[in-house]
Amino acid sequence: MPTAQSSTGYLGSGFGSSVEDVLNKRGLITSEQLSFVKNEAKRRQETPEQVLVQMAWVSDEDLVKAKAEAIGVSYFEPSEQPISPEVLGYIPEDVAKRFTVIPIAKDRDTLSVAMVDPLDLQTQEFLEKKSGLSVKPYIATGPSIIKAISEQYTRGLSTEVTEALKETSTGASKSYIEQPEATAVLGEAPVARIVSTLLEYGIKVRASDIHIEPLENETRVRYRIDGILHEKLILPKRIHEAIVSRIKILGNMKIDEKRIPQDARFNFKIGREELDLRISTLPTSFGEKVVMRLLKKSGGVPSLQELGLRGRALANIEETILRPHGIILITGPTGSGKTTTLYSILSKLNSTRVNIITLEDPIEYQIPGVNQVQINPQAGLTFASGLRSILRQDPNILMVGEIRDAETTELAVQASLTGHLVFSTLHTNNAAGALPRLLDMHAEPYLIASTVTAVMGQRVVRRTCPTCKIPKPVTKEALERLQATLGNLYDFRKKISLFYGKGCPECNNTGYLGRIGIFEVLVVSEKISRMIIGHETSQAIEDQSIADGMITMKQDGFMKVIEGVTTIEEVLRVAEE
C-alpha cells in the first residue's frame, strides 16, 4: 500500500534538521517567524512544535510532513485510499482507536503502521506483540488516522474477510459447477455475511450502486454516492469468485456461466429496509465485474418541488401536463434523473379516471395504479412494437422510456395526434437540442411543431451538507461568473454569501448530502413552432426560448448556489458545456 509516492519529498534532504528549519526551508514560515519560534520555545520551555501549533502559522498536514522529513520517517495519508481488511485484521479496531494508529500494508513479516508519533517505541513494541509482525512506522496527522479508522473498519468486515480467507484456502473458492453444491458452501457464513455487509454499508452511506471490480492482484469495492464513485474497500483476489458466486445465487443466475454478461433482480431485506436489487455481471480480463443497483422500495416518489423545480419552470410544466394530448420530452445524459422526473409527473397525474401505461427498460419503481410494461427485445417486445400494442389498450397517458429511432418517433407523434398525452426521454445536452434531434430521426417538421408542447432539460447536483455547511467569502472570479450567467435575474447589490461543506460524519466527510435537480423548461410557442418548420438550429431555438423567458439549467443552478443549496463547482461539473 505505501509507495515511494507516499513519502516523496518528505524524507532525506532534511533528515537531522529541526521541524521549524524544514518549514523555513520549504518557505512555509519566514525567517522572522523562525527566530520567533526558537526564542519563544526557550522562553516558555516548550518544544518549537508546540509553539507552531499555538501560532497556527502552518496546517497540521504541513507540520507533520516537515516532522517526517526532520526525523527521517515517511509521511502517509491513510484516509485517501482503502486498506485491505486482511491488513486491518492484524490490529483490532479498539486498539487502533486507543493508540491512534492504523495498519496500512503488510509485506512478508513487516506491518506498515501510520502513527501520530512514530518515535513512540513502547506503542510499537505493543503492536508487534499484538500482530506477531515487526512494525514499520509511518507518520500521519491525528485527524486523518481517526477518519481512516472510522471509514476503514467497515462494520467488522475485516473479521469476516479473514474468516472467508480461511474457508477459501480449504476449498471454498473452487469452480462452482452444480448449484446445490454451491448453495451449500456459500449459504454459510462468512461469504454470505460479506455480501450482506457490503449491502448494509451501501444503505448506510445512501449508495445508488455498488461496483465489485476484479483487478490484477486484488478486488476493489466502490460505492456511487450522490452520483460520484468512492473507493471504500480492497478485498483479496482469491475470495472474488466466492463473492460473485454468492451474488449470482441470490439473483438466481447461472453461476457456471462466466463468458457472457448476465442480468438479474431480487429483493433484499435488512432490518426494516427492503431493497429491490438489480444485478449486472460483465466478464473482464481479470474476472467478472459485478454492479448492484440499490433501489429502495420505501420512500415513495418525490414531488416536482422536492426534485428542485420551482417558479416559472414548475408553472410551465404543471400547465402542459394538464393538457389532454401532446408530447412532453425530458432530456439529459444518462444518470441525470430523467426517469425519476417522469415517475414524479405520472404520480401527479395518476387517478382512477385515467388509464396510464408505461414502456420501460427497466422498470425502476412500481407505481400503484399504473400499468408498467418491461420491454424485452429478445422476445420481440421493443419500444416500437410495445407502443403499437398499448395503443389498442385504450390509454389516456403513455410513457415511453426513450425515443431511440424513427419508428418510435413516428408512433409517438401518431399517438399524440390521436388524442393521447405522451411522455418520453431523449439523450441531448439541453432542451433546445431535442427538437432538431427528432428531425434527424426523419420526423416531419410540421408534425413535431404541432405535437411537442414542452421539453425539459435537467441535471442533478449534490446538495451542500446542511450539518457542516459554513459560509465563505465570494471571490472576485466567482462573483464575475455569477453576474455573467444570471444578469438581471438577481440583484447583485445585495450581499452574497456562498456556502461549502467542510465535511462531517453525517455526509461521510464529503461536504455533500443528497442531490437536487437543476432544470430548464422550453415551452413550444408559436415562434418556436415556426422555427422548427424552418429547420432552425438548436442555438437559435434556445435564444428564442430565453427571449420568451426560459431560465437555463446553469442559471437555475447558480440561483441555487446563491441560496446555499449547492456549490459553483457542482453546477459547473454537470452543466458547463
Side-chain angles (χ1 to χ4, degrees):
M1 174 75 65
T3 62
Q5 191 181 0
S6 310
S7 53
T8 301
Y10 307 123
L11 181 61
S13 59
F15 185 36
S17 307
S18 65
V19 175
E20 64 273 23
D21 285 332
V22 173
L23 287 167
N24 175 242
K25 186 187 72 182
R26 291 172 172 271
L28 293 167
I29 60 171
T30 63
S31 299
E32 290 78 15
Q33 287 172 325
L34 177 65
S35 301
F36 174 85
V37 167
K38 289 188 173 182
N39 294 332
E40 195 68 6
K42 282 179 189 172
R43 190 181 70 77
R44 295 186 195 176
Q45 293 188 323
E46 292 180 349
T47 65
E49 211 175 309
Q50 287 171 315
V51 176
L52 282 162
V53 169
Q54 288 159 15
M55 299 310 295
W57 283 332
V58 291
S59 66
D60 288 351
E61 192 178 339
D62 284 331
L63 190 63
V64 170
K65 285 176 180 176
K67 187 176 179 180
E69 186 170 331
I71 65 176
V73 172
S74 299
Y75 169 81
F76 188 76
E77 179 50 73
S79 60
E80 281 186 354
Q81 48 190 306
I83 300 161
S84 163
E86 195 177 7
V87 171
L88 292 171
Y90 287 102
I91 297 179
E93 188 174 358
D94 59 332
V95 173
K97 282 178 177 173
R98 192 177 358 143
F99 294 103
T100 318
V101 298
I102 189 162
I104 50 181
K106 177 185 173 285
D107 183 21
R108 297 194 181 114
D109 296 330
T110 303
L111 186 67
S112 298
V113 180
M115 310 173 69
V116 174
D117 183 8
L119 300 179
D120 183 351
L121 300 177
Q122 200 175 346
T123 298
Q124 283 186 44
E125 193 179 332
F126 175 79
L127 295 175
E128 284 180 345
K129 282 181 183 173
K130 192 79 182 167
S131 64
L133 301 165
S134 64
V135 166
K136 180 182 179 183
Y138 283 73
I139 192 167
T141 64
S144 73
I145 292 175
I146 292 163
K147 180 183 174 188
I149 290 169
S150 70
E151 288 182 353
Q152 304 287 1
Y153 287 94
T154 308
R155 302 178 70 141
L157 188 61
S158 56
T159 313
E160 281 145 29
V161 172
T162 309
E163 288 177 36
L165 286 168
K166 289 174 190 169
E167 280 199 10
T168 54
S169 63
T170 57
S173 67
K174 64 184 178 178
S175 296
Y176 301 103
I177 305 300
E178 294 179 26
Q179 189 148 333
E181 183 191 352
T183 309
V185 173
L186 292 167
E188 300 166 5
V191 172
R193 283 211 313 278
I194 292 173
V195 174
S196 179
T197 308
L198 290 177
L199 291 167
E200 278 180 43
Y201 186 71
I203 293 170
K204 180 186 168 190
V205 296
R206 302 170 297 100
S208 60
D209 301 86
I210 303 172
H211 293 239
I212 300 168
E213 302 168 305
L215 307 177
E216 190 172 4
N217 300 312
E218 61 198 16
T219 293
R220 73 175 175 184
V221 180
R222 296 194 289 173
Y223 290 84
R224 190 176 291 282
I225 305 163
D226 293 333
I228 307 290
L229 278 170
H230 297 268
E231 193 171 335
K232 290 288 181 188
L233 203 61
I234 294 290
L235 297 172
K237 185 66 181 285
R238 51 194 165 127
I239 66 162
H240 178 79
E241 206 172 311
I243 287 171
V244 172
S245 295
R246 171 65 186 163
I247 292 167
K248 282 183 171 181
I249 286 166
L250 289 170
N252 220 5
M253 299 157 89
K254 295 178 181 175
I255 54 174
D256 57 335
E257 181 54 85
K258 300 171 187 179
R259 300 162 301 167
I260 58 169
Q262 293 186 68
D263 294 292
R265 252 186 126 128
F266 71 93
N267 290 341
F268 191 86
K269 198 167 184 179
I270 297 176
R272 294 181 181 179
E273 198 79 65
E274 195 174 349
L275 290 178
D276 187 9
L277 260 76
R278 288 215 316 264
I279 308 169
S280 168
T281 67
L282 184 75
T284 71
S285 53
F286 297 119
E288 284 182 283
K289 172 178 159 70
V290 178
V291 175
M292 294 188 281
R293 166 66 58 91
L294 279 59
L295 299 166
K296 282 189 184 179
K297 286 206 160 186
S298 56
V301 177
S303 69
L304 292 171
Q305 288 93 330
E306 286 168 344
L307 293 177
L309 268 163
R310 72 256 177 99
R312 188 162 183 168
L314 178 62
N316 285 339
I317 275 295
E318 286 184 331
E319 185 190 329
T320 51
I321 66 175
L322 293 176
R323 293 180 188 176
H325 54 83
I327 299 174
I328 296 168
L329 298 170
I330 317 284
T331 72
T334 303
S336 60
K338 299 187 296 296
T339 307
T340 305
T341 302
L342 283 173
Y343 282 171
S344 181
I345 291 170
L346 292 181
S347 296
K348 189 176 175 69
L349 296 172
N350 191 15
S351 78
T352 53
R353 292 186 305 239
V354 290
N355 178 17
I356 303 175
I357 306 181
T358 73
L359 269 176
E360 302 175 58
D361 182 24
I363 297 168
E364 291 197 15
Y365 294 99
Q366 301 285 348
I367 308 174
V370 174
N371 305 287
Q372 295 172 268
V373 180
Q374 163 84 53
I375 73 157
N376 186 350
Q378 287 83 11
L381 179 55
T382 62
F383 281 126
S385 66
L387 189 49
R388 223 180 244 107
S389 300
I390 63 179
L391 283 169
R392 303 187 198 108
Q393 288 280 319
D394 185 31
N396 300 98
I397 299 167
L398 302 171
M399 191 268 266
V400 184
E402 188 185 340
I403 291 179
R404 293 179 180 172
D405 51 39
E407 191 180 4
T408 315
T409 309
E410 189 185 341
L411 286 164
V413 168
Q414 290 305 320
S416 170
L417 289 170
T418 51
H420 302 92
L421 185 58
V422 182
F423 294 95
S424 192
T425 68
L426 267 181
H427 286 267
T428 59
N429 287 332
N430 57 16
L435 301 166
R437 174 66 61 85
L438 291 174
L439 299 179
D440 291 342
M441 292 183 191
H442 310 295
E444 291 292 342
Y446 70 93
L447 291 177
I448 296 301
S450 59
T451 55
V452 177
T453 54
V455 185
M456 183 197 292
Q458 69 175 71
R459 300 285 189 280
V460 281
V461 293
R462 292 180 292 171
R463 283 178 179 268
T464 309
C465 175
T467 308
C468 65
K469 78 173 178 182
I470 54 172
K472 65 174 180 179
V474 184
T475 62
K476 187 184 174 188
E477 184 191 353
L479 188 60
E480 285 172 358
R481 198 185 277 273
L482 289 168
Q483 286 173 329
T485 303
L486 293 176
N488 299 326
L489 290 174
Y490 186 80
D491 183 1
F492 284 93
R493 289 173 297 182
K494 297 177 187 173
K495 191 184 174 187
I496 298 174
S497 274
L498 302 185
F499 291 83
Y500 76 100
K502 62 179 181 178
C504 65
E506 192 73 23
C507 62
N508 214 21
N509 293 300
T510 60
Y512 296 100
L513 186 70
R515 293 193 286 174
I516 192 167
I518 58 173
F519 302 91
E520 60 185 27
V521 176
L522 185 157
V523 177
V524 180
S525 62
E526 281 185 34
K527 284 182 182 175
I528 291 175
S529 292
R530 287 198 293 271
M531 293 175 86
I532 295 167
I533 293 166
H535 286 269
E536 295 272 3
T537 64
S538 60
Q539 187 58 58
I541 291 170
E542 183 174 289
D543 292 343
Q544 180 57 50
S545 58
I546 291 169
D548 291 344
M550 181 181 84
I551 293 171
T552 66
M553 271 185 288
K554 201 170 172 186
Q555 287 173 334
D556 186 32
F558 279 179
M559 288 298 286
K560 285 173 175 138
V561 167
I562 289 173
E563 290 161 14
V565 176
T566 187
T567 61
I568 288 181
E569 293 76 19
E570 269 299 288
V571 176
L572 294 177
R573 179 177 69 84
V574 301
E576 187 79 294
E577 290 180 10

